[in-house]
């Protein structure tokens, strides 16, 4: 026998220390040289929840370990193995399998423990076999008794809260084993003070839970998928050949001609399913989902901890027992309370390296999460297979959205090029640039500003035509129809995925039935029940009512109003900055400084807005989460929907308020020369450039959109995870320097995954794309290139998110979903709002309507000649009020008597001078009429597109119907087979009965017995 191994003795049930009790082994330390004596002197207890073996099997193996916390056995093959080999071998495949190399790790629980500084934590292993002869070999030779005493002292002084966490872990893990799961513990890892519990779900547990969850699994029945015929088939084959270079090289992406019939798994109907390979029948995604459902359902209900002696400890123990005696702690509660620090399924293996075996993760990294394959389609089926339906639907939606941006980008570029091509033919801008017109404009501010020539704003007028031309109206209509078509196309794509992923019979109600209350909700209910119990001595089951939540609702209302008010205040502050900066630059002594006032003010103000938006986005995200948490929603789904609503509302207001100001409020309340409107009696309201506010709106929209995409979406998503990874690496390097022996060990798969970032949900990803969708649709009339920039961003975004999911995040638990949830309703709402906003942008922000009014009502020759003069009103400089006239009236070199300003007002020689003219009301009526007509026409066209395109493709509806018919045929054949078997048995029974009746009527006792046996045969069958 090896010197590092000892013979293990089997403790008989009638051991001198008595029968099993309801506790566990704690603090038992046995050394090789004193093993026999220790077995006779040490009082040990075994938790009864682990004692489910028959009486003849109730023997316990004692291992030479430093501390035995919990030893026990349960039925079948469930085991709690409290160590992994220190030197990983090929059997466990670096943590993907249990120590035996056969059972796959389906889930990992992580906890923190206090590791002794005197000696390293020693591992313990308990194996349970069905055979009568059990033997276990110890991995290490233990130190002498000195180390044992030091360890005992450290345990004596251990914090009782840590002890309580350990007891709750023991109880919870015991309950998991009673549920049929198999566990193996590893505390001998490279990560200091962190232990891992590996979980494996055996076949019978997988079958049971798959039946409970109604998981659709493929049956043996295979049927032919309807294929296109004739011309359509030739077109499809041509398209396939053309798109072959951009298809990912994965098996799941190849077009299939046959499909397996799927049916909710049932243990009674296992013969319907192809169980030839049980190891791969349930894939890793399904196995982790099943284990997670068990983890959520399994509870930890007892407070078994005794905190020693002393009045203070007894009092705390009583309070804790009272608090926990009626609480149920699933995995969510245990994670929230710090009993476990993390819980996650494992990745399939490494994704980089020369000798790495090919797995789904590596395949996804090569064919999906790489910038080199940006031009290829996504392997959505493989994404779903690895991450689940919910994440698969997100990337499918993102792919459809990106594809639909291609035609929108092409049309937007054409509209922009049309503006570039016709800028020299635009009569209004030509008139503004013509110096021969000699139009003298009124001062833009009092005292400090002087008169100026309209021709000085020629560049702004020409640039405005690039985005303010008749083609932008067409583009607005096109984008409204594009949004409706995109929504319908996604619904059809979603139905195809539901059919392909066997989600056609899946309903959200099934998930609602299985919805587990959140840990915070259970804690709140428990607190309420304890309070009522203390007052009224009642123990009825409680739930949170609107009265309990009223303070949280009131806080939410006040908080959201305050945040929206804060956003408006910041925008108002930026407006003050623009006005004051413009006034300061107007005092510049250099002509170049005065000429570049508008450009300087606009650019700096937009950059300030961008920085504020990015900062407030992060702040509002945290505030929205906090406001949702104090509401204490019952389920995770309810929590997610409320969080999405609050975050979207706050971020929508934050992102679009500056743009709304420029589009609809700037230049509307400026007054007139001599009677300007002031803020705080010192700052004059700013006005638009002579060419209109559309150009400034375009600048504002483009900088905010591009800045958010570049800084917030890409740099933050790349930079922050890299920084966190670097910090974790530095911390681990410091720990490794303290423990050289642990540094030499190779990391297991669960250790590597533990160092990855936890999955935080899809809300940030969807929110980013929804805000971008708003930029693309809401103000597209002012920025036709928005779809192009969104397309370029999304091409990078898909691969960036893919790389993050595959390489930088822990593998999330697969969640079944048949749609994208509340995000679809938000998209529809943004699409409807876009129609209204674009109608107002075209009507009130651009000069499209004033041009039409002039062309059809005031033009003498049916052209746009004279339009600029028509939009300008006249002002007599003698009507300046005291202190408002310019300080240098002769700056232009001549004395000015009449100056012009952009507005529809009566001239100074009119009876009602400077009053609103009739032309203003005519233009306003035309603008409102256009809004009504445009909105209703586009809404009607969008609804028509929605109606004419069916939500479910015809071929998919046919396939779904075909599946139902085939399933009925399968069951009919099965029933017919059963009836034939019964009839065969009846015939055999009748023949035996006839043989018995042919005997003599004087039946002997033996004959009667044989006769009864004939009839008993039928009963047995």
């Amino acid at each position: 026998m090896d010197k590092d191994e000892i013979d293990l003795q089997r403790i008989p049930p009638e051991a001198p220390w008595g029968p099993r009790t309801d506790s566990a082994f704690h603090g038992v330390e046995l050394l090789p040289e004193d093993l026999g004596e220790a077995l006779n002197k040490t009082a040990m207890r075994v938790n009864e929840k682990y004692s489910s073996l028959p009486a003849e099997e109730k023997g316990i193996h004692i291992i030479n370990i430093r501390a035995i916390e919990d030893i026990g056995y349960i039925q079948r093959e469930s085991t709690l193995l409290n160590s992994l080999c220190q030197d990983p071998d090929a059997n466990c495949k670096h943590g993907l399998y249990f120590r035996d190399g056969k059972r796959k790790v389906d889930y990992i629980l992580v906890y923190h423990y206090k590791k002794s500084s005197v000696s390293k934590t020693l591992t313990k292993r308990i194996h349970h076999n069905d055979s009568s002869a059990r033997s276990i070999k110890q991995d290490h030779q233990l130190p002498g008794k000195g180390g044992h005493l030091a360890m005992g002292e450290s345990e004596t002084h251990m914090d009782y809260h840590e002890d309580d966490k350990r007891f709750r872990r023991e109880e919870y893990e015991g309950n998991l084993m009673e549920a049929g799961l198999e566990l193996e513990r590893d505390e001998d890892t490279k990560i200091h003070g962190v232990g891992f519990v590996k979980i494996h779900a055996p076949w019978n547990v997988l079958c049971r839970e798959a039946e409970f969850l109604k998981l659709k699994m493929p049956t043996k029945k295979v049927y032919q998928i309807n294929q296109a015929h004739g011309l359509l088939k030739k077109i499809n084959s041509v398209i396939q050949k053309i798109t072959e270079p951009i298809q990912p090289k994965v098996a799941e992406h190849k077009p299939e001609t046959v499909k397996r019939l799927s049916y909710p798994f049932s243990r009674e109907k296992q013969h319907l399913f192809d169980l030839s390979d049980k190891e791969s029948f349930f894939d890793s995604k399904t196995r982790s989902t099943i284990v997670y459902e068990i983890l959520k359902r399994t509870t930890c209900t007892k407070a078994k901890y005794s905190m020693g002696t002393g009045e203070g400890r007894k009092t705390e123990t009583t309070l804790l027992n009272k608090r926990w005696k009626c609480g149920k702690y699933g995995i969510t509660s245990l994670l929230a309370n710090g009993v476990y620090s993390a819980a996650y399924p494992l990745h399939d293996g490494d994704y980089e390296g020369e000798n790495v075996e090919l797995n789904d993760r590596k395949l996804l990294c090569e064919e999906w999460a790489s910038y080199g394959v940006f031009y290829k389609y996504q392997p959505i089926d493989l994404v779903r297979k690895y991450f689940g339906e919910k994440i698969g639907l997100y990337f499918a939606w993102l792919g459809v959205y990106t594809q639909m941006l291609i035609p929108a980008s092409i049309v937007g570029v054409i509209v922009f090029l049309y503006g570039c091509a016709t800028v020299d033919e635009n009569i209004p801008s030509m008139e503004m640039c013509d110096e021969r017109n000699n139009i003298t404009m009124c001062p833009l501010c009092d005292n400090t500003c002087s008169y100026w020539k309209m021709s000085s704003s020629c560049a702004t007028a020409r640039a405005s035509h690039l985005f303010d031309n008749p083609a932008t109206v067409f583009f607005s209509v096109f984008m409204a129809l594009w949004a409706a078509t995109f929504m319908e196309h996604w619904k059809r794509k979603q139905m195809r995925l539901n059919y392909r992923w066997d989600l056609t019979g899946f309903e959200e109600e099934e998930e609602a039935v299985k919805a587990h209350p959140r840990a915070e909700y259970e804690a709140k209910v428990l607190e309420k029940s304890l309070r009522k119990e203390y007052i009224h001595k009642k123990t009825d089951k409680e739930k949170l009512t609107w009265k309990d939540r009223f303070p949280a609702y009131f806080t939410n209302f006040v908080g959201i109003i305050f945040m929206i008010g804060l956003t408006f205040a910041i925008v108002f502050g930026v407006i003050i900055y623009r006005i004051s900066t413009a006034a300061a630059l107007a005092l510049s002594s250099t002509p170049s400084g005065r000429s570049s006032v508008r450009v300087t003010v606009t650019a700096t103000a937009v950059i300030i807005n961008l920085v504020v938006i990015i900062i407030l986005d992060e702040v509002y995200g945290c505030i929205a989460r906090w406001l949702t948490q104090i509401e204490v929603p019952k389920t995770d789904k309810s929590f997610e929907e409320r969080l999405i609503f609050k975050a979207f509302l706050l971020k929508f207001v934050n992102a679009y308020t500056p743009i709304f100001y420029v589009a609809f409020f700037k230049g509307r309340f400026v007054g007139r020369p001599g009677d300007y409107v002031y803020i705080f009696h010192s700052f004059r309201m700013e006005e638009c450039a002579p060419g209109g506010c559309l150009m400034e709106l375009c600048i504002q929209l483009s900088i905010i959109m591009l800045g958010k995409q570049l800084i917030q979406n890409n740099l933050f998503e790349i930079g922050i995870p890299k920084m966190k990874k670097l910090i974790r690496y530095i911390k681990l390097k410091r720990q490794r320097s303290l423990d050289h022996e642990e540094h030499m060990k190779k990391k297991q798969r669960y250790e590597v995954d533990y160092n990855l970032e936890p999955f935080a949900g899809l809300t940030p990803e969807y929110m980013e794309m929804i805000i971008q969708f708003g930029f693309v649709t809401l103000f597209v009339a002012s920025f036709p290139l928005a779809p192009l920039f969104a397309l370029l961003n999304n091409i990078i975004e898909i691969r960036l998110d893919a790389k993050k999911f595959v390489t930088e995040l822990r593998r999330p638990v697969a969640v079944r979903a048949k749609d994208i949830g509340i995000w679809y309703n938000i998209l529809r709402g943004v699409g409807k709002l876009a129609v209204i906003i674009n109608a107002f942008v075209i009507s009130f922000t651009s000069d499209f309507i004033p041009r039409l009014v002039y062309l059809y009502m005031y033009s003498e020759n049916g052209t746009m000649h004279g339009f600029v003069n028509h939009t300008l009103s006249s002002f007599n400089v003698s009507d300046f009020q005291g202190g408002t006239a310019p300080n240098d009236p002769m700056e232009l070199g001549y004395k000015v008597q009449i100056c012009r300003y952009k507005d529809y007002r009566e001239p100074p020689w009119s009876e009602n001078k400077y009053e609103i003219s009739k032309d203003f009301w005519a233009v306003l009526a035309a603008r409102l009429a256009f809004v009504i007509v445009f909105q209703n026409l586009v809404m009607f066209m969008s609804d028509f597109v929605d109606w004419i395109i069916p939500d479910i493709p015809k071929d998919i509806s046919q396939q779904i119907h075909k599946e139902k018919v085939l399933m009925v045929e399968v069951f009919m054949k099965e029933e017919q087979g059963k009836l034939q078997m019964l009839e065969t048995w009846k015939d055999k029974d009748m023949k035996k009965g006839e043989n018995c009746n042919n005997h003599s009527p004087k039946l002997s006792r033996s004959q009667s017995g044989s006769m009864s046996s004939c009839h008993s045969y039928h009963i047995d069958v």
Side-chain angles (χ1 to χ4, degrees), residues 203 207 265-275:
W203 173 256
C207 294
F265 188 83
S266 173
R267 287 173 289 180
E268 295 181 354
K269 299 184 181 299
Q270 288 193 28
H271 57 277
L272 295 177
F273 303 94
D274 184 10
L275 304 180

Side-chain angles (χ1 to χ4, degrees), residues 621-635:
C622 298
I623 291 175
R625 181 169 290 276
W626 176 75
L627 290 175
T628 309
Q629 286 173 346
I630 64 174
E631 283 187 35
V632 197
K634 184 175 181 179
T635 63

